[in-house]
Amino acid sequence: MSGRPEILFPLFSDLTSLPGVGDKIATSFGALKVTKPRDLIFTLPHSVVDRRVVPTVQGQPALKTVTVQVTVLQHVPSRTRGKPYRVIVKDAQTTIELIYFHSRGEYLDKLLPVGEQRLISGKLEVFDHRAQMVHPDYVLGPDEHSDLPSFEAVYPLTAGITPKVMVKAVAGALDRVVALPEWIEPSVFRDRNWPDFATALQQAHAPQSPNDISAHAPARERLAYDEFLAHQLTKAIARSQARVKTGRATVGDGQLQSKVMAQLPYRPTGAQARAIEEIGADMASPRRMNRLLQGDVGAGKTLVGFMALLQAVEAGGQGVLMAPTEILARQHLEGLRPLAHSSGVRLEMLTGRDKTGERRQKLADLASGEINILVGTHAVFQKGVEFCDLRLSIIDEQHRFGVNQRLALGEKGTKVDVLVMTATPIPRSLELAQYGDMDVSVLNEKPPGRKPIITAAVPLARLSDVITKLKAAIASGRQAYWVCPLVEESEFMDLTAAEERFKVLCAALGDAHVGLVHGQLPPIEKDAAMAAFVAGKTQVLVATTVIEVGVDVPNATIMVIERAENFGLAQLHQLRGRVGRGKAASTCLLIYQPPLTQSGERRMGILRDTEDGFRIAEEDLKMRGAGNVIGTAQSGLPQFKVADLETQTSLMAIAHQDARMLLQNDPGLTSPRGKATRTLLWLMEQDIAITLISVG
């Protein structure tokens, strides 16, 4: 794909080429992430001021912006320092005082000559029943009325950028937009009744009413769709390139898999069977697998992953399973050991803490192929870790690993298949935004024998009742988690809260029965506290949210979450999923501090109503927004300038379909519409896609 089309050059030139923008202003624009004219055309107004002329300010609400024709009656200069200068004017029905601070009399005499008419526009205030306007935004003579728009766009600003500078610069940038060939699929374009790209920009920057600012205004919707389409095209191109990337056909004979299936106390769910089949087919094909396996808490992802690892071993290769923390890696190891044993497969774990001699031996066995399956943390990425024939890498809890780490693992073998597992159900729109380049398998059924978890909300005042019930439960041999409040200020405060609660519970239940884990503990102590709880040596584990992901203690049947109103929905759902893993009925107690906010009440209600993680994820998205649901900092979620992932989810789905269809029919983007979408990719700075297409 040769360089950027010439038609776009003016939009990618220097900001200083725009009217009114010198070096200093260009530097100030940097704070708004604006470095070229192209960035300005996508910096849309966030609100609109109605500057239509009214006959009088009488009856207008205070603090509203009003525009009115007035006659100047008199000037009242300030007698004392620091007092304002007043100009009395009159509209059709009443007088208005214009208030000026630190203004020179001669300047105001020129601006507002007594006896003449002026058009004034500004915020109306009422003081002592008198209408006032402090420093009007506009004072225009009879021949300047046309300078005032009926509706004025309000832009995001920053130090050094005034509204005037912004409006002038945006107008200059818009002048550089020419008619571009249409890249939107004709039927979508017609059904939606959208304007063309250049018209959409003009309309979005010149709102005629508050409705024109909404995400559903045709001009804005069209521009949002352009962003989604460019994004989804990039994902689809990456995906089709990944598919062209020849992988290796990893075909198993099913012997190891059937040995393990025979050992299982239950049959896999329909969803598990389907996922095993989809992954198996991907591995057996000559293309490289790039698949996401998302399942709700406790939907049985580990079994699905293990079946895929066995297929790699059956084909004469090796597999690796990566977890974000050592506790989880160890848990995978313990959980899979009996299954590996029954199928005669050698399974080992590699962490950063292996002793030198032991580590050397493991690395030698890995390189010679004697170790079939390796479980580990990111220590697996390190230099010196060589596989004999790595066929499959599975990454557990995706959002802890970046794309670069996925790639690094893929390079440990030739043409390695990649499977990413996540226990965080992701709403469809975010899944497309984040993983649009991956195929997806979903586990949405609970394995048999899982009992529902009873969820109840308890006010903080009843804490002592909760501790009394806990005492009885422990006496009958059960175990419990006690999750401490999230304290916004700092980890140190979180720690203090956890230590306080630990002391109270030790006093009530006896020191020997209670353990404590938190983020500040050295890893060895953290593991020891977890191990004691897993082994049943301690009955109550007091914890900060470090236990959120993956810890599995079937005998733990009570989850207490203190100050539950401070946690997000998805986080509460993940924490609750730590219980209900054994045969006994389980309970989750949400302890809250009344009065609850409206959203706090709604969160508690949703958790009481459902255990369906996918429904919870959709609700969470509605309540908190996309960035918070995944945690934008490490989410890899795209940053859109116009589009809004929360309110425009349906557009993302259409863009996803459209991008796939287009590439299916025109893989090289050489048709007229294909060429138009190349222009879109350049315009939206999707350089990755551009490079891939020119390589492909």
Side-chain angles (χ1 to χ4, degrees):
M1 187 165 180
S2 50
R4 181 182 295 127
E6 222 166 291
I7 200 167
L8 297 179
F9 283 2
L11 287 171
F12 284 83
S13 60
D14 238 340
L15 262 188
T16 50
S17 61
L18 291 173
V21 181
D23 291 341
K24 197 171 166 196
I25 285 180
T27 308
S28 299
F29 264 124
L32 294 170
K33 296 200 171 76
V34 169
T35 58
K36 51 194 167 305
R38 175 242 169 239
D39 304 332
L40 271 175
I41 64 175
F42 292 114
T43 304
L44 298 187
H46 55 70
S47 56
V48 60
V49 179
D50 183 346
R51 294 217 188 261
R52 287 175 299 181
V53 182
V54 294
T56 174
V57 298
Q58 192 109 37
Q60 293 285 345
L63 301 182
K64 178 177 186 273
T65 297
V66 294
T67 307
V68 65
Q69 177 93 21
V70 297
T71 305
V72 182
L73 298 181
Q74 71 176 113
H75 283 236
V76 185
S78 61
R79 296 262 183 282
T80 47
R81 260 186 87 111
K83 287 279 189 234
Y85 187 112
R86 296 167 192 271
V87 182
I88 314 294
V89 299
K90 182 179 190 309
D91 67 19
Q93 289 185 20
T94 185
T95 56
I96 308 158
E97 287 184 0
L98 307 185
I99 311 283
Y100 286 93
F101 292 94
H102 318 299
S103 277
R104 296 187 317 281
E106 68 235 48
Y107 162 72
L108 291 174
D109 281 334
K110 256 198 202 125
L111 186 68
L112 292 149
V114 173
E116 293 205 13
Q117 292 208 326
R118 288 290 181 265
L119 187 69
I120 60 166
S121 187
K123 193 172 279 173
L124 178 69
E125 295 182 23
V126 178
F127 186 71
D128 262 357
H129 304 297
R130 295 201 302 267
Q132 290 187 342
M133 201 179 276
V134 180
H135 288 273
D137 304 328
Y138 293 91
V139 175
L140 302 175
D143 52 345
E144 300 171 309
H145 288 196
S146 59
D147 294 356
L148 189 66
S150 301
F151 292 93
E152 187 176 41
V154 182
Y155 286 95
L157 301 172
T158 184
I161 306 291
T162 62
K164 215 170 185 173
V165 167
M166 181 59 119
V167 168
K168 195 169 178 183
V170 167
L174 287 174
D175 284 343
R176 301 178 170 207
V177 178
V178 294
L180 295 172
E182 187 52 72
W183 46 72
I184 294 179
E185 211 283 310
S187 66
V188 175
F189 188 68
R190 270 197 317 274
D191 292 351
R192 294 277 172 164
N193 211 358
W194 283 333
D196 64 71
F197 179 70
T199 309
L201 279 174
Q202 294 292 349
Q203 290 177 357
H205 282 282
Q208 293 304 304
S209 77
N211 292 342
D212 293 347
I213 297 288
S214 99
H216 301 297
R220 290 219 170 202
E221 206 173 63
R222 188 240 143 95
L223 296 171
Y225 187 75
D226 292 336
E227 279 192 299
F228 283 155
L229 181 61
H231 171 73
Q232 285 299 314
L233 266 169
T234 304
K235 291 278 190 194
I237 290 165
R239 178 190 158 120
S240 61
Q241 293 288 340
R243 294 182 149 207
V244 173
K245 266 192 192 155
T246 47
R248 298 160 68 197
T250 296
V251 184
D253 57 10
Q255 285 195 359
L256 298 176
Q257 289 187 343
S258 40
K259 272 185 192 166
V260 169
M261 285 293 187
Q263 296 292 317
L264 293 177
Y266 55 82
R267 296 193 45 167
T269 65
Q272 281 177 311
R274 192 170 57 240
I276 291 169
E277 200 176 310
E278 288 168 348
I279 293 162
D282 274 3
M283 289 175 69
S285 91
R287 292 192 318 248
R288 260 174 104 159
M289 171 167 78
N290 188 21
R291 187 172 280 277
L292 173 72
L293 173 65
Q294 59 160 324
D296 203 346
V297 179
K301 287 180 297 297
T302 314
L303 175 68
V304 174
F306 190 60
M307 286 296 155
L309 291 164
L310 289 179
Q311 183 166 327
V313 178
E314 287 172 358
Q318 293 164 297
V320 62
L321 170 58
M322 299 255 324
T325 65
E326 204 161 309
I327 292 175
L328 284 174
R330 195 164 299 288
Q331 190 170 292
H332 278 307
L333 183 76
E334 302 304 334
L336 296 176
R337 210 169 240 156
L339 296 177
H341 185 73
S342 68
S343 57
V345 165
R346 184 168 166 202
L347 174 78
E348 290 288 352
M349 171 161 164
L350 188 69
T351 70
R353 259 194 271 158
D354 293 327
K355 302 214 169 47
T356 317
E358 190 185 355
R359 180 180 172 84
R360 197 175 296 129
Q361 188 55 55
K362 275 187 195 172
L363 291 178
D365 290 355
L366 196 62
S368 69
E370 283 172 57
I371 294 177
N372 306 114
I373 296 173
L374 184 68
V375 174
T377 59
H378 55 258
V380 178
F381 292 127
Q382 292 162 353
K383 283 199 166 56
V385 180
E386 301 294 339
F387 290 83
C388 171
D389 178 14
L390 180 63
R391 298 280 187 123
L392 170 68
S393 62
I394 298 184
I395 301 174
D396 190 14
E397 283 309 324
Q398 155 72 14
H399 55 275
R400 309 290 168 98
F401 290 116
V403 176
N404 296 346
Q405 285 170 300
R406 275 201 324 229
L407 294 174
L409 198 60
E411 281 157 15
K412 284 283 179 195
T414 47
K415 306 172 175 175
V416 178
D417 285 325
V418 175
L419 178 67
V420 171
M421 303 199 297
T422 174
T424 318
I426 306 159
R428 179 78 178 133
S429 54
L430 297 192
E431 176 203 299
L432 292 177
Q434 203 181 10
Y435 306 111
D437 57 329
M438 303 181 88
D439 297 297
V440 181
S441 294
V442 176
L443 298 180
N444 49 6
E445 298 170 45
K446 288 255 160 111
R450 276 286 180 126
K451 296 233 172 28
I453 301 167
I454 297 153
T455 304
V458 183
L460 197 56
R462 286 182 44 209
L463 194 67
S464 53
D465 299 355
V466 173
I467 295 175
T468 310
K469 283 203 172 116
L470 202 54
K471 225 179 201 164
I474 288 167
S476 69
R478 291 157 66 189
Q479 284 174 282
Y481 293 99
W482 189 298
V483 177
C484 290
L486 264 178
V487 182
E488 287 300 320
E489 284 80 38
S490 68
E491 277 185 33
F492 175 72
M493 302 278 286
D494 280 343
L495 184 60
T496 318
E499 285 173 340
E500 285 304 312
R501 184 55 65 225
F502 175 65
K503 283 180 199 150
V504 170
L505 291 173
C506 281
L509 310 168
D511 294 7
H513 293 293
V514 190
L516 171 68
V517 295
H518 53 74
Q520 308 282 303
L521 274 181
I524 293 180
E525 288 179 38
K526 204 187 290 184
D527 282 4
M530 295 296 272
F533 185 63
V534 171
K537 290 179 189 152
T538 53
Q539 280 70 47
V540 177
L541 185 64
V542 176
T544 54
T545 53
V546 289
I547 60 153
E548 186 180 335
V549 181
V551 192
D552 198 358
V553 182
N555 190 41
T557 58
I558 299 168
M559 167 62 73
V560 179
I561 304 173
E562 202 176 327
R563 295 301 298 272
E565 74 274 13
N566 293 353
F567 292 84
L569 248 182
Q571 206 176 16
L572 288 169
H573 176 64
Q574 287 285 337
L575 287 167
R576 172 170 66 180
R578 300 297 113 229
V579 296
R581 295 177 162 244
K583 301 199 169 39
S586 293
T587 315
C588 174
L589 298 177
L590 307 171
I591 299 183
Y592 66 93
Q593 169 87 59
L596 279 178
T597 60
Q598 209 176 347
S599 76
E601 234 166 79
R602 195 168 145 203
R603 284 202 298 273
M604 305 272 175
I606 292 162
L607 282 164
R608 282 199 303 262
D609 290 350
T610 181
E611 278 188 65
D612 174 349
F614 287 91
R615 199 188 128 197
I616 287 171
E618 291 291 351
E619 290 289 342
D620 202 22
L621 175 63
K622 277 184 208 151
M623 290 174 73
R624 288 198 306 151
N628 294 328
V629 171
I630 298 187
T632 308
Q634 83 288 42
S635 72
L637 259 191
Q639 297 293 313
F640 296 115
K641 282 202 82 156
V642 179
D644 174 16
L645 272 175
E646 286 120 62
T647 57
Q648 297 178 310
T649 47
S650 59
L651 286 184
M652 177 65 97
I654 299 169
H656 176 71
Q657 283 309 131
D658 190 9
R660 288 206 167 180
M661 289 294 293
L662 175 63
L663 281 175
Q664 222 169 332
N665 301 331
D666 179 14
L669 297 183
T670 50
S671 66
R673 185 181 166 218
K675 286 180 180 152
T677 55
R678 285 172 176 241
T679 305
L680 170 70
L681 290 171
W682 278 110
L683 179 67
M684 295 299 180
E685 305 189 277
Q686 294 291 341
D687 305 8
I688 305 165
I690 291 158
T691 336
L692 285 173
I693 274 224
S694 49
V695 173

